[in-house]
Amino acid sequence: MDEGLRERKKRETRQRIADMAMGLFMARGFDNVTVAEVARAADVSVNTVFNYFKTKEDLFLDRSAMVEVMPAEVVRERATGESVIAALRRDFLDALDTRHWRYGFGDGSDVFAKLVSDSPALTSAMLQMHMERERALAEALMEATDADPDDLRPWLVATQVLNTTRVLTAHAARRMMAGEDWARIGPDIREQAEIAFGLLERGVGDYGARSGAGQDEKPPSSAARPNSST
């Protein structure tokens, strides 16, 4: 029980530091806030801040560890007979409809996007996070399809899907930053997402569909490649 209490207190301390940091970043901009100022606002030492967050960018991207693995978990938990594209489409549309933060649709996501665009350091950190997200998804696809190490399709599919969701999310953020109401943005992004995932489905097809026996079929040899016309 003592160990559980310690872990809970650690989580609470970490969350308090992250919340205080985000409040300062939103008020003054990421590059105008120091780690020392975050520490003072959270009533902890600078060393304590760095015990929980390796870099200042990690204070801003405090959910990055979760964000990086979420698409991979969707693939691993997809239903029998459900393709990779269908599973990721379902997850993306659910996040859109519920305005969940995992794809950047939560309240304040426009402010988040503006802070990133205004800071080269955050832009670089976000790029690194997206690369880790692609790597995690590609590895999940390799497992799901029992792909050979030299088979690039898991990496190609991961890149295509996640770049598609990034384009959709960025478009929504730009419209929110311009002051457009979500009542107009949401339905339009949903329509655009249906089109985008439709394009992916026609190009990627039933890649990674889970068999009824619970075992994923090994993809065809490297001689059989997806139609390159899409």
Side-chain angles (χ1 to χ4, degrees):
M1 183 173 294
D2 289 342
E3 183 178 358
L5 179 60
R6 286 196 298 270
E7 290 304 313
R8 179 175 63 81
K9 287 184 176 180
K10 286 180 180 179
R11 287 194 299 272
E12 290 174 349
T13 299
R14 185 183 191 279
Q15 190 61 56
R16 185 174 75 255
I17 294 170
D19 289 345
M20 289 297 181
M22 185 57 73
L24 290 171
F25 296 151
M26 291 176 67
R28 295 165 48 195
F30 178 81
D31 294 331
N32 298 322
V33 176
T34 66
V35 174
E37 289 172 322
V38 172
R40 285 195 295 271
D43 195 24
V44 297
S45 69
V46 170
N47 285 341
T48 297
V49 173
F50 284 121
N51 283 340
Y52 288 95
F53 303 93
K54 292 181 179 179
T55 67
K56 181 182 169 185
E57 288 75 20
D58 289 339
L59 280 165
F60 185 84
L61 300 172
D62 63 299
R63 293 174 172 173
S64 61
M66 289 186 286
V67 171
E68 288 168 7
V69 301
M70 281 179 171
E73 291 304 311
V74 171
V75 167
R76 291 189 175 100
E77 297 171 5
R78 71 199 188 285
T80 297
E82 188 175 35
S83 72
V84 165
I85 298 300
L88 292 168
R89 174 192 213 150
R90 168 177 50 77
D91 186 60
F92 182 85
L93 292 178
D94 175 75
L96 176 64
D97 292 341
T98 60
R99 296 204 64 181
H100 193 273
W101 56 264
R102 67 186 181 275
Y103 283 102
F105 296 124
D107 291 336
S109 56
D110 52 337
V111 178
F112 184 96
K114 180 67 165 56
L115 285 167
V116 171
S117 67
D118 288 344
S119 171
L122 284 181
T123 300
S124 177
M126 284 289 290
L127 178 60
Q128 182 62 38
M129 187 186 75
H130 286 305
M131 290 174 64
E132 289 299 317
R133 190 170 163 102
E134 287 180 4
R135 180 193 58 76
L137 179 55
E139 290 177 352
L141 295 175
M142 290 176 70
E143 297 169 10
T145 60
D146 192 24
D148 293 329
D150 292 332
D151 187 349
L152 294 181
R153 279 173 292 183
W155 295 92
L156 294 170
V157 172
T159 299
Q160 289 173 3
V161 173
L162 294 182
N163 278 340
T164 295
T165 60
R166 285 172 62 183
V167 168
L168 292 166
T169 300
H171 183 63
R174 283 193 296 271
R175 293 175 63 174
M176 283 188 281
M177 284 189 286
E180 193 170 348
D181 190 82
W182 183 259
R184 291 174 56 87
I185 298 172
D188 184 55
I189 295 298
R190 191 176 226 285
E191 181 180 353
Q192 296 287 349
E194 294 284 10
I195 293 171
F197 277 95
L199 291 171
L200 289 171
E201 281 184 323
R202 288 191 290 276
V204 179
D206 61 357
Y207 174 84
R210 172 161 285 172
S211 69
Q215 299 292 325
D216 297 295
E217 294 182 1
K218 190 179 181 68
S221 67
S222 59
R225 298 296 184 188
N227 190 330
S228 61
S229 62
T230 54

